[in-house]
Amino acid sequence: MRTADAVVIGTGVVGAAIAYELSLAGLRVTVVDRLGDVGSGSTSSSSAVVRFHYSTFEGVAASWEAKFGWEAWREYLGGPPEEALAKFYKVGCLILDGSTQREQVLSLFERVGVPYECWDADTIRQRVPGLDPGRYGPPKPVTDEAFWADADGELGAYFTPDGGFIDDPQLAARNLIAAAKLRGAEVQLREEVVAILKKAQVEGVKLRSGGVIESPIVVNVAGPYSSRVNALAGVSEEFRTRTRPLRQEVHSVPAPSGYARGELGPAVVDGDLGTYFRSHVDGQLIVGGAEPACDPLHWIDDPDTYEPRPTTQIWDAQVLRLARRIPSLRVPHRLSGFGALYDVADDWIPIYDRTSLGGFYVAIGTSGNQFKNAPIVGRFMATLIRACENGHDHDADPVVVQGRFTKNAISLGHYSRLRQPHAESAYSVMG
Ligand SMILES: Cc1cc2nc3c(=O)[nH]c(=O)nc-3n(C[C@H](O)[C@H](O)[C@H](O)COP(=O)(O)OP(=O)(O)OC[C@H]3O[C@@H](n4cnc5c(N)ncnc54)[C@H](O)[C@@H]3O)c2cc1C
């Protein structure tokens, strides 16, 4: 029989960040993952875009605080200087008109302190050569003849120079796990949690191999398996906001030679055509979907049975939309990309919370938008867990975390499992 002060279920970037922060706080942490490699679940598929436009104050404030963690990644990890680290490419993030809630987001940027610039079509052309600022929206299926119509005017945009992307999301999770291990954490890979042990409180986990880890704290960070793990703990019914897996595809195509002067272009959110895309360090552009209303959503019942290969239908939709925005793009004949899963909360805002089962916590429903927040979510959860374990009633009096870098106060009540879905959310990956 093994014992731990805390068991974290999942070595994705969020689980890894929580394991690290709990280890920093002096707890003996064991992290368990059913897969064979750290961060090889949905984290390894992440586009890892760092951006700040969310529809709520907490969304903007958390992503802005986390940005400073990425900038000071080595210092944050406090690890050996020779270790290979994930790198933050600060190429900026360009949000084209047609993306929702522009005025609301800009007023949140003012409140939080996120620098931004407003660009007209000429500025877009000049700053990102190769990007066509034509207005084609609202988004249409590529099978609709209207998709091919000429532009109806031109778009403006807003630009946040501090946005960008992390080059290797799985390496970021590995970095966090390595830092946690330096502080005593243990990792068990190829081990699936098949039962949550409990009496009045949580008492530990049972593994598929038959082993048991006794622990007074268990944290569900199981990504697309989150609702399944909640069911094991018997807490599903109390969640007013639920989580479920959604299949997504990300494709990659060679960047045309002149695009963005041959340099890394900004991450672009194109609500006018219904995609987001960014340059990658290998000369490719990667493109994903932004849930335009004209496209069906692919909800998945069993996260073990989704299709990991790209499909012609979604490839056509995303790559042809990209080709409208970057007219010099050559669309390859062979599909390149993958299918992966988001763990989507009803309002696309994550759930970082306690539960009615004492000692059982959740960091779930990351809704395709929380990779960037890992450096602050670890702290959110460590602070929340410490408070609750010391008897604080977080449901009645939500814990507030103040940003180390930005000093913004973020109420963790925002992420409560007991909330009705947030009305102001964009109900998309924007969060
Ligand atoms: C295609 C795609 C693109 C994305 N793009 C972005 C982006 O540009 N920017 C951004 O900020 N976010 C993005 N995201 C979201 C971001 O990647 C996720 O929010 C984040 O990686 C979630 O990390 P996690 O640790 O919560 O979950 P995961 O990485 O899914 O990890 C969960 C882990 O739990 C393990 N597990 C599950 N059940 C059990 C069990 N019973 N026992 C043991 N282990 C278990 C799994 O094996 C898995 O490794 C994207 C996500 C996807 C899929």
Side-chain angles (χ1 to χ4, degrees), residues 18 218-220 230 238-240 350-357 359-364 377 380-381 384-385 388 393-396 398-399 412-419:
I18 294 167
V218 173
V219 194
N220 172 4
N230 275 350
E238 70 196 62
F239 280 67
R240 289 193 200 128
I351 305 172
Y352 300 137
D353 205 356
R354 54 163 293 177
T355 64
S356 61
L357 174 62
F360 186 74
Y361 296 88
V362 297
I364 61 176
V377 174
F380 281 171
M381 291 303 293
L384 174 80
I385 291 169
C388 293
D393 184 354
H394 171 66
D395 288 341
V399 171
L412 302 191
H414 179 69
Y415 304 103
S416 170
R417 73 200 184 287
L418 302 177
R419 68 181 188 253

Side-chain angles (χ1 to χ4, degrees), residues 240-264:
R240 289 193 200 128
T241 297
R242 303 294 182 99
T243 58
R244 54 184 170 150
L246 179 72
R247 186 176 177 280
Q248 292 286 315
E249 290 190 20
V250 175
H251 305 116
S252 65
V253 289
S257 56
Y259 176 67
R261 298 187 182 84
E263 296 165 4
L264 291 174

